[in-house]
Amino acid sequence: MGNQIKIGIIGAGAMGLLYAANLAEKADLTIFTRREEQANALKQKGISLIDNGTTKTIHINAVVVTDTAALSKQQLLIVAVKQYSLLEILPLLQAVPVETPMLFIQNGAGHLENLPLLGEKRTILVGISEHGAGRENDTTVVWRGHGRTKYSVYQGELDVSLEDWLNSVPDFPVEQHVNYLEIIQEKLFINAVINPLTAVLGVRNGELLENPEWHKLLGLLVEEMETVLPVQNGALKVKEICRVTANNFSSMALDKKHGRKTEIDGIVLPILEKAEREGKTLPTLRTLYHIIKGLEGDSNV
């Protein structure tokens, strides 16, 4: 089975299942779930990966995330939980030996403030995923859009063998970048424009380009964002993502549609706070933020 490096993926949502399905054959891989029921289902059935209408089953080892002994045996932990679940698992991550590097793949930038709590001696990588994925049930994931994983060293030093392993899956490309803030900011910029807008309107990404009024709103959001988060060719990048993922619902639109908590605080709140510190107002973004928080029923003005 090739290089048997021990890799753990924490989180068995859409992204966790997608990464596990694509990396399982390249490593001795364990996926860590929140619920025992899901871990058992994955062990029995494996992961069903649906890609362009074809389904592939991948056998997988799964355990609950509270199994600290299993967590401690990994040579790399890929943390793929949603922003708001990070604080819940922080004590478990802190208990993992400091020699174990961790790669965080979250939307937004809210998680950056928690990373120092993992200790200054640990190697921490920060990444973003350009893939589109949707979880159908505990064991099934739909690969809605192929992209890349970009990561950067936040602190510490990455072992050469791990670096080589990360670059070893040609059909699931992983790129190392020098500046973690650059890659986080670009993804944050795109997410903060597309996610709240599609969540409030309840539409697919492509409709933001097709509907003239929504296209204007998109333009307004981009202009506001550029005042606090300068990203090269921000407007073009946002439109390109809308085009490439035209038939997809954003993760926030899906969360809203299914009555789940959204990642609005991890994606939009850091931008609104930065704007406030700089004495700038982002009226369109702030309005969308309050609408979504109000719909979730726990708005804190």
Side-chain angles (χ1 to χ4, degrees):
M1 280 179 67
N3 184 6
Q4 286 304 286
I5 199 160
K6 289 180 83 67
I7 302 293
I9 294 179
I10 301 177
M15 280 300 155
L17 290 175
L18 180 70
Y19 275 70
N22 278 283
L23 300 176
E25 290 170 9
K26 298 290 292 181
D28 176 1
L29 191 138
T30 302
I31 190 163
F32 291 87
T33 67
R34 190 164 45 90
R35 293 174 294 113
E36 185 99 44
E37 180 193 5
Q38 188 181 13
N40 291 336
L42 285 165
K43 276 188 285 195
Q44 286 162 18
K45 299 179 185 176
I47 298 171
S48 296
L49 175 65
I50 301 170
D51 182 20
N52 280 327
T54 60
T55 305
K56 182 182 174 186
T57 302
I58 297 101
H59 298 293
I60 198 89
N61 182 37
V63 295
V64 285
V65 71
T66 46
D67 186 338
T68 46
L71 275 177
S72 297
K73 286 177 188 159
Q74 309 306 315
Q75 288 167 268
L76 171 69
L77 284 171
I78 299 173
V79 185
V81 300
K82 296 240 182 178
Q83 283 265 353
Y84 51 76
S85 299
L86 261 184
L87 278 177
E88 275 174 49
I89 63 162
L90 200 61
L92 295 168
L93 297 180
Q94 287 168 325
V96 171
V98 77
E99 299 77 36
T100 309
M102 295 178 182
L103 165 58
F104 289 83
I105 301 172
Q106 273 73 40
N107 279 327
H111 57 301
L112 295 180
E113 62 191 42
N114 296 319
L115 299 184
L117 301 173
L118 295 166
E120 57 188 37
K121 292 181 180 171
R122 188 186 306 278
T123 292
I124 296 175
L125 313 173
V126 171
I128 60 143
S129 176
E130 293 178 342
H131 296 279
R135 194 182 87 168
E136 298 282 285
N137 54 45
D138 275 357
T139 59
T140 308
V141 62
V142 184
W143 199 351
R144 294 209 173 99
H146 289 229
R148 294 162 297 177
T149 304
K150 296 178 180 177
Y151 79 93
S152 203
V153 177
Y154 171 83
Q155 68 175 37
E157 205 172 310
L158 186 59
D159 181 86
V160 175
S161 62
L162 275 176
E163 198 174 309
D164 290 344
W165 180 82
L166 282 167
N167 296 325
S168 68
V169 190
D171 48 357
F172 198 70
V174 176
E175 292 177 359
Q176 186 172 5
H177 288 250
V178 177
N179 186 331
Y180 76 89
L181 270 179
E182 256 175 42
I183 58 172
I184 290 277
Q185 282 190 350
E186 186 178 305
K187 176 86 188 272
L188 185 61
F189 188 102
I190 293 164
N191 278 350
V193 173
I194 297 172
N195 274 284
L197 202 46
T198 52
V200 165
L201 297 171
V203 298
R204 295 173 199 272
N205 297 349
E207 292 178 65
L208 298 181
L209 301 181
E210 292 159 16
N211 182 301
E213 294 302 324
W214 298 343
H215 196 181
K216 279 180 200 165
L217 261 180
L218 185 80
L220 273 176
L221 271 178
V222 166
E223 281 172 26
E224 286 184 8
M225 291 286 297
E226 283 173 334
T227 66
V228 286
L229 206 66
V231 166
Q232 208 174 359
N233 299 321
L236 286 174
K237 284 172 181 167
V238 166
K239 286 175 186 176
E240 179 58 18
I241 294 293
C242 283
R243 265 193 295 275
V244 172
T245 62
N247 295 320
N248 295 355
F249 284 99
S250 72
S251 58
M252 197 177 287
L254 283 174
D255 286 340
K256 162 82 175 42
K257 199 174 171 182
H258 296 300
R260 297 188 295 249
K261 187 178 164 84
T262 71
E263 291 182 282
I264 191 78
D265 281 338
I267 294 173
V268 172
L269 196 55
I271 296 165
L272 292 177
E273 287 171 345
K274 186 173 190 284
E276 211 162 291
R277 287 194 300 273
E278 294 173 6
K280 293 165 183 167
T281 55
L282 311 181
T284 317
L285 189 65
R286 183 168 286 282
T287 300
L288 292 171
Y289 173 79
H290 286 300
I291 290 171
I292 291 167
K293 288 296 281 183
L295 290 168
E296 284 186 352
D298 60 354
S299 179
N300 41 14
V301 180

